[in-house]
Amino acid sequence: MSSKQGFVAVEALSRRAALRRIALGVTAAGLGAGIDRADAAQVHAEIANERTFQGEYEVKFFNGHEFATLERLSELIVPADEGGPSGREGGAPEFIDLLSSQNPELAAIFTGGMLWLDAASRVRTGKRFVDSPEEQQTQILDALVEAERDLEDSDVRWETDEYERFSVFGVRRPSEAQQGLKFFGWARVLIVDAYYTSPAGIRDLGFVGNAAHTEYSVPQEAIDYALGRSPFEEA
Amino acid sequence: MAETDYDVVVVGAGAGGGTMARVLGEKGVKVALLEAGPMIDPQRDFKTNDWPHDYGHRSAEDGGKAYFGRGTDYGFFTTVSGGWQLEGEPYTSAPGTRFQWFRSRVVGGRTNHYGRMSFRFSDMDLKPYSRDGVGWDWPISYEDLAPWYDRTEEYIGVTGTVEGIRSAPDGKFHTPPEPKVHERLMRAAGKSLGVPFIANRRAVITRSINGRAACHYCGQCGRGCLTESNYSASQVDVFPAIRTGNVTLITGAMVREVEASDAGLARGVIYIDKEARTEKRVRGRAVVLAASACETARLMLNSKSRHFPNGIANGSGLVGRYLMDTVGFSVQGTLPALENMPRYDSDGFGGAHLYAPWWLWDDHSKLDFPRGYHIEMGGGFRMPGPGSFLGIARQTGYGLPLKRKVREQYGTRVGLSGRGEMVPNDQSYMDIDPDVIDRWGIPVARFHFSFSDYEWKQARHMERTFKDLIEAAGGKVHGIGNRSREGEGIAVPGSIIHEVGTARMGESASNSVLNQYCQAHEVRNLFVADGATFVSNPDKNPTLTINALSWRTAEYLAEELRKGNV
């Protein structure tokens, strides 16, 4: 199957190399041939124009159901809002598929994790995760987050057989969601990273660097904003 | 065995060897410049201006290696440089020692990726024993070195402002870029605590010199610079050296030993041609070692002969001794004043625009450690990459709260890093492991290392100071900046990559390896032009001084060659 967001890196990069040569007027990569600042600005600009996603991504590792699950998770973990689209539009499913196709350790975390997710979903709704109502999907994710916080907040070793002896301290039985935490952690970091490294995510963040300037200046508006919220009269 | 003759054989094409080859080449001296790694091609090798989304792996590398701690050291975009481990080329550590050794095998060496902080040693730095009775004095004074700093700065280009601070001598500066917003807040915090933040001194040019374009502020010095707007030994020394027509670069040449003549002089070097896996020799009237401090010492210790049973020029037994790194410790936090701040391009010239030189140089009597440190700073709107928002994700769970928190918190993080002077000690040195050879058949280096209370107490002073600074700016301290490196309370020895001191200069042959011109006391045609020559390791990052000393040595060597003394 394929999805709409294809990231054709290799082609883009070979075009990049060609572009650079044109912009630099370099016929062959000469020994230490430098370029001047105007050329650098031109390269930055041309690369920015040329940087568009092309083609269809062909799923390399996951089956159709697994990929659909990744798409749904990508919408839930990084949802679309007024500041930008979802992790799905940020290319997260493709990113996870590509890495998993190259890394059996990662692949196993995701295949096992998604089977666990479907099992956890069936307990609640009798249906697989993607087929369940959104409310049930978020309940599972909420349970994962709660289990994660319990683990972080607690000094008690959950694994002990004697945990109930400590119940006087209000210790709860470990959540079953705890078993899904490794998978959840991986899914979240990869979806978040895919989104914020995508062009849409860069725009959402407002990252305006990776550019060439003749002069470097810091806008007074930013200085005033920070200074007004700081303990200082001047900075 | 193939043989070739040159005036001078230079081992290592980094800061020291690159400077040496260029200066000698410009004077018409015929130089063989040996480099253990390959040539570098900026057009091919530098990832300047690329984005994570130019790659399917988003800069996490194939299979997401970066997430598993198996990615390229310093990240995917960093220019080719080297690593903490090199396949088939181990080093060992004595029991109880934890030491990290970053080695580059490429033209330009570690200057391709380094931080480019360029601080002059001060008069106090060169005579530390005279001031506090610890360590040793250098055989040269600030007045001896200053003209060579001038030349070096004028040639490579260093930013800065004239400040008149004794611990941070002024130089020949390019105009620095203005401070970023978080830096202004930290400067104000410093002012309230008596810590002076001044314009950073980095080897970046802000006006065009020598055909190199002025910086265009993309902030990516570590990737390598296509416009040659920063200093790297490859682009600024080695390429011009080759253009003189007098310098022959031999890549893939792993030097094993300095060959001694019957008269006890250096005849040249024996190296392994890595591609052919064959031993070759190259001969010259003089040999200059600039392979990096510990490679140079390893090479000297492995150069045994009738005259030099303990390694060439090692009658003092001091080759490998008094190894020093920089004391490192960092603290990170966030500044709420920066939340939801209007966005701007905070890339700048590739590093902090401000730093704090050591400010308590006249107050050591009130401190429990003898030497100082400077403060480096991080922060701003960084290009997102693998793991950029891990902390926020854990804090917020998932969904819209996560997205909103990322927008609010983006760019609020600041880090302060201390870079301090370590006092040389008897427990910190390197020798040759009696049991291990590398893939080229060369016996490997073995490290012994121990920080003393001087360094530990200095690191605690850093910790308190950085916490105070962040809190003075209304910030919240999160903790240690680099947990894997500094989790024990001080950076792992070697991990700051400022290792120096293994063949130190001095006035007497019994108490040092080299004279004030970095010429071996015992072998008049053998010189050293890297950090091995250092007598102390001031809190100033070493490269600028390696450049300046190498230039000084090159002029001296050229004159000795002309006079027929070498």
Side-chain angles (χ1 to χ4, degrees):
Chain A
M1 72 176 285
S2 65
S3 78
K4 288 174 193 140
Q5 294 294 325
F7 292 78
V8 185
V10 176
E11 282 174 26
L13 288 176
S14 58
R15 282 197 53 207
R16 174 81 39 82
L19 252 175
R20 274 202 180 118
R21 280 194 292 276
I22 294 161
L24 309 184
V26 178
T27 47
L31 177 70
I35 62 176
D36 69 19
R37 190 153 55 179
D39 286 341
Q42 190 187 347
V43 173
H44 277 274
E46 298 211 21
I47 286 172
N49 290 335
E50 168 263 352
R51 187 177 291 110
T52 52
F53 302 130
Q54 312 145 42
E56 299 274 306
Y57 179 85
E58 191 176 322
V59 177
K60 294 168 177 56
F61 178 77
F62 293 109
N63 65 33
H65 169 66
E66 288 166 337
F67 197 81
T69 305
L70 288 177
E71 289 180 324
R72 184 66 190 129
L73 280 170
S74 300
E75 292 169 344
L76 290 167
I77 288 177
V78 179
D81 68 355
E82 72 286 354
S86 76
R88 181 176 176 175
E89 279 75 44
E94 293 82 356
F95 176 54
I96 294 169
D97 179 68
L98 177 70
L99 298 192
S100 296
S101 74
Q102 300 161 333
N103 182 343
E105 186 180 349
L106 191 64
I109 290 168
F110 275 90
T111 51
M114 287 190 282
L115 286 165
W116 174 90
L117 189 66
D118 278 344
S121 182
R122 280 203 179 89
V123 170
R124 289 163 187 267
T125 66
K127 292 177 184 163
R128 300 184 301 187
F129 184 77
V130 286
D131 303 323
S132 299
E134 176 160 341
E135 193 188 340
Q136 305 291 332
Q137 293 172 335
T138 55
Q139 276 180 15
I140 294 176
L141 298 185
D142 290 342
L144 284 160
V145 170
E146 194 181 339
E148 182 178 50
R149 288 185 179 152
D150 280 351
L151 269 185
E152 280 179 7
D153 293 346
S154 175
D155 292 331
V156 177
R157 303 278 298 170
W158 291 117
E159 291 87 339
T160 175
D161 292 336
E162 301 175 285
Y163 68 89
E164 278 175 307
R165 284 177 49 204
F166 297 102
S167 60
V168 64
F169 302 121
V171 171
R172 287 171 294 171
R173 186 174 286 274
S175 158
E176 285 181 8
Q178 199 172 304
Q179 295 163 333
L181 278 185
K182 183 179 181 185
F183 158 69
F184 176 65
W186 276 101
R188 183 173 59 190
V189 71
L190 295 186
I191 289 166
V192 166
D193 288 352
Y195 174 72
Y196 285 110
T197 58
S198 74
I202 298 279
R203 277 193 298 275
D204 186 341
L205 287 171
F207 174 79
V208 290
N210 194 18
H213 306 283
T214 308
E215 303 292 335
Y216 182 79
S217 65
V218 179
Q220 192 61 40
E221 178 199 16
I223 297 169
D224 292 344
Y225 177 91
L227 194 58
R229 296 162 51 93
S230 80
F232 310 117
E233 297 291 315
E234 55 180 358
Chain B
M1 209 184 280
E3 296 189 19
T4 321
D5 290 302
Y6 296 89
D7 293 327
V8 178
V9 177
V10 178
V11 180
T19 301
M20 179 65 59
R22 177 180 54 79
V23 173
L24 291 177
E26 284 170 355
K27 291 176 180 301
V29 177
K30 298 291 180 190
V31 175
L33 178 60
L34 277 67
E35 167 52 51
M39 185 54 165
I40 198 167
D41 177 353
Q43 300 294 337
R44 179 195 65 202
D45 298 332
F46 292 175
K47 298 190 183 78
T48 317
N49 312 137
D50 287 357
W51 292 88
H53 57 68
D54 291 334
Y55 300 86
H57 58 58
R58 307 293 183 95
S59 78
E61 304 187 51
D62 289 349
K65 279 186 218 167
Y67 291 107
F68 293 84
R70 299 193 289 264
T72 305
D73 294 318
Y74 296 105
F76 171 71
F77 289 116
T78 299
T79 182
V80 282
S81 191
W84 294 109
Q85 298 294 333
L86 301 179
E87 197 179 347
E89 301 189 34
Y91 58 88
T92 63
S93 295
T97 285
R98 196 173 163 209
F99 191 87
Q100 290 185 356
W101 191 19
F102 192 97
R103 293 167 292 172
S104 279
R105 303 274 193 257
V106 64
V107 167
R110 300 182 289 197
T111 64
N112 288 305
H113 89 272
Y114 84 126
R116 298 181 169 81
M117 305 288 185
S118 302
F119 309 131
R120 293 184 175 208
F121 291 3
S122 71
D123 66 314
M124 300 179 288
D125 292 328
L126 292 162
K127 302 294 176 189
Y129 176 80
S130 297
R131 271 177 60 83
D132 58 27
V134 177
W136 289 269
D137 286 344
W138 291 58
I140 52 174
S141 65
Y142 181 72
E143 288 66 36
D144 293 324
L145 207 44
W148 305 97
Y149 278 138
D150 288 351
R151 284 195 193 193
T152 300
E153 287 163 349
E154 281 170 350
Y155 180 69
I156 72 174
V158 175
T159 60
T161 45
V162 172
E163 299 285 345
I165 298 170
R166 186 176 169 194
S167 62
D170 297 318
K172 306 281 185 181
F173 294 135
H174 282 233
T175 306
E178 67 169 306
K180 305 169 197 177
V181 176
H182 65 279
E183 294 171 342
R184 290 168 194 260
L185 294 190
M186 294 313 299
R187 180 173 62 185
K191 203 170 177 185
S192 72
L193 296 172
V195 181
F197 281 92
I198 62 172
N200 206 350
R201 297 169 176 183
R202 291 186 71 242
V204 173
I205 57 175
T206 56
R207 62 172 193 276
S208 177
I209 54 168
N210 303 325
R212 297 162 54 202
C215 177
H216 60 272
Y217 307 106
C218 75
Q220 300 169 4
C221 295
R223 298 185 182 194
C225 184
L226 281 176
T227 60
E228 302 185 342
S229 306
N230 59 33
Y231 172 73
S232 68
S234 50
Q235 294 165 294
V236 180
D237 285 321
V238 177
F239 298 165
I242 293 170
R243 287 190 210 112
T244 66
N246 296 317
V247 175
T248 304
L249 175 69
I250 304 173
T251 54
M254 184 69 196
V255 178
R256 186 183 70 204
E257 62 182 279
V258 179
E259 197 178 7
S261 70
D262 292 340
L265 291 172
R267 299 174 73 183
V269 302
I270 300 175
Y271 68 93
I272 309 303
D273 178 330
K274 287 161 74 170
E275 197 173 341
R277 292 196 299 279
T278 304
E279 187 175 305
K280 290 183 179 169
R281 40 164 62 96
V282 57
R283 288 189 166 161
R285 290 165 63 192
V287 172
V288 179
L289 302 180
S292 83
C294 295
E295 287 290 8
T296 286
R298 175 189 178 202
L299 184 46
M300 293 175 78
L301 291 168
N302 278 329
S303 302
K304 294 179 182 176
S305 61
R306 184 167 58 82
H307 281 281
F308 306 108
N310 299 317
I312 196 162
N314 191 25
S316 64
L318 288 177
V319 174
R321 309 298 298 198
Y322 301 119
L323 171 63
M324 296 162 273
D325 189 25
T326 288
V327 180
F329 191 75
S330 61
V331 169
Q332 63 176 338
T334 48
L335 301 182
L338 304 178
E339 286 171 2
N340 292 315
M341 185 167 66
R343 306 306 200 226
Y344 71 99
D345 187 343
S346 65
D347 285 350
F349 75 167
H353 291 186
L354 299 178
Y355 90 110
W358 179 233
W359 65 102
L360 298 173
W361 51 269
D362 208 21
D363 283 319
H364 277 285
S365 59
K366 298 173 201 154
L367 301 170
D368 58 359
F369 57 96
R371 305 286 170 77
Y373 61 89
H374 73 261
I375 308 174
E376 301 181 1
M377 187 167 15
F381 299 111
R382 310 287 300 271
M383 182 188 283
S388 287
F389 303 105
L390 199 54
I392 293 173
R394 285 207 180 113
Q395 191 190 335
T396 52
Y398 73 98
L400 291 176
L402 186 159
K403 231 177 167 185
R404 293 189 191 115
K405 196 75 176 174
V406 167
R407 280 176 206 136
E408 175 194 284
Q409 292 293 312
Y410 180 50
T412 61
R413 185 157 288 220
V414 292
L416 297 173
S417 294
R419 293 288 179 264
E421 176 169 354
M422 170 193 178
V423 177
N425 69 57
D426 291 335
Q427 279 76 51
S428 298
Y429 61 99
M430 53 150 291
D431 56 11
I432 299 298
D433 191 306
D435 299 318
V436 183
I437 58 172
D438 69 9
R439 68 194 295 189
W440 314 114
I442 306 172
V444 309
R446 177 175 63 181
F447 292 97
H448 311 253
F449 208 95
S450 175
F451 282 125
S452 75
D453 284 355
Y454 296 145
E455 288 78 39
W456 284 98
K457 286 175 176 169
Q458 187 195 59
R460 298 289 70 76
H461 191 274
M462 294 177 185
E463 187 171 356
R464 288 191 300 273
T465 303
F466 301 164
K467 177 175 176 290
D468 290 348
L469 282 167
I470 291 171
E471 288 176 352
K476 180 175 178 299
V477 172
H478 292 302
I480 297 176
N482 187 332
R483 198 164 289 278
S484 63
R485 187 168 75 184
E486 301 160 356
E488 291 174 16
I490 195 167
V492 174
S495 67
I496 305 298
I497 324 184
H498 292 168
E499 74 284 358
V500 297
T502 46
R504 72 182 184 195
M505 302 158 73
E507 279 165 9
S508 105
S510 63
N511 195 30
S512 60
V513 179
L514 310 169
N515 69 17
Q516 67 143 313
Y517 294 106
C518 301
Q519 178 180 30
H521 288 298
E522 296 164 48
V523 185
R524 68 172 184 274
N525 68 341
L526 178 65
F527 295 79
V528 177
D530 58 29
T533 62
F534 284 26
V535 181
S536 67
N537 193 16
D539 71 82
K540 322 295 170 54
N541 309 31
T543 303
L544 182 75
T545 302
I546 291 171
N547 292 132
L549 277 173
S550 179
W551 201 323
R552 183 171 182 265
T553 298
E555 297 277 353
Y556 173 80
L557 170 55
E559 191 59 17
E560 291 294 287
L561 284 166
R562 194 184 63 78
K563 289 179 187 164
N565 293 341
V566 164

